[in-house]
Structure formats: C-alpha cells, structure tokens
Amino acid sequence: MTITIYACRAGSDVKNEDGSKKDIGIAQKISGSEEFKGVLIIAPDQRVYIGEDGPIGTYKAENTGKNDEYKKNADGSTMNKAASSTEGNWNMFMDGEKIGSFTGKLPEK
C-alpha cells in the first residue's frame, strides 16, 4: 500500500530557525508507527502548489527563512507566498526510515 500526503512540508524534518534539524517530520513519524508498518508514505519536503487541474508540484517558496517558514513583513503579516523555481522533493518513508526521494511532480497514475 502507498499513501501520498499532500500537506506542505510533511516530508521534511522540523527545523530550528537556523535550519538545523529539530525533529523528524510527521510523514516519517507516521511511517514508523505500528499501524503503518510496511506502508510506503510519500510526502513533500516543501510546499505543494495547486493549479486548476490539481497539484502542480512541490516548490520552495520565494520568501522563506532557513527553517522554511515564511518570512514576515514589518507589520507581522506573511510575505508573498509565491513559489520559486526551486523544486522540492517527494520523500519516501517506510517503517520510520527515509528510503528514497524524487524531485518535482508526482508520477501520473
């Protein structure tokens, strides 16, 4: 069985403000649970951008810090959330371990 999670950055480690690893991400945690033993979990390490016809792919946002969180304007509002041209990865997890990765769009079904 394969489960694909389209939640932004679900396949990324949780990062400190300086970009260092704080904890493993939610997709890796799910894959390590007894309930999902032997299940392939695929999740993006960046944001998922959606078009009229569905997901376009995973891309790094233009205005993010080292921890991949959106930067803020002086008034505290979020800066532009537009995608950059830097593709993210779809990370693959099984039994609590990262077993692979690929860049860009998910394969067509």
Side-chain angles (χ1 to χ4, degrees):
M1 177 186 292
T2 301
I3 296 173
T4 303
I5 300 172
Y6 285 86
C8 297
R9 297 174 39 225
S12 175
D13 289 331
V14 179
K15 298 176 184 176
N16 293 305
E17 198 168 318
D18 67 359
S20 62
K21 181 178 174 176
K22 182 177 183 177
D23 195 5
I24 62 173
I26 189 69
Q28 188 170 359
K29 286 181 181 180
I30 291 169
S31 78
S33 70
E34 189 61 34
E35 293 86 353
F36 290 94
K37 188 171 180 66
V39 175
L40 176 64
I41 307 285
I42 301 173
D45 68 354
Q46 290 295 328
R47 287 172 172 78
V48 177
Y49 288 87
I50 309 290
E52 289 181 21
D53 297 326
I56 296 168
T58 179
Y59 294 88
K60 185 168 182 65
E62 284 183 357
N63 295 303
T64 58
K66 292 180 182 179
N67 62 354
D68 293 326
E69 293 292 333
Y70 288 120
K71 291 180 181 177
K72 303 287 184 181
N73 293 308
D75 65 1
S77 63
T78 302
M79 286 186 167
N80 180 335
K81 297 180 180 180
S84 71
S85 60
T86 304
E87 290 183 321
N89 297 301
W90 291 93
N91 292 327
M92 299 178 286
F93 303 94
M94 186 177 285
D95 300 329
E97 299 294 327
K98 182 177 171 184
I99 61 168
S101 181
F102 58 93
T103 302
K105 294 183 179 181
L106 282 170
E108 297 293 326
K109 294 180 179 157

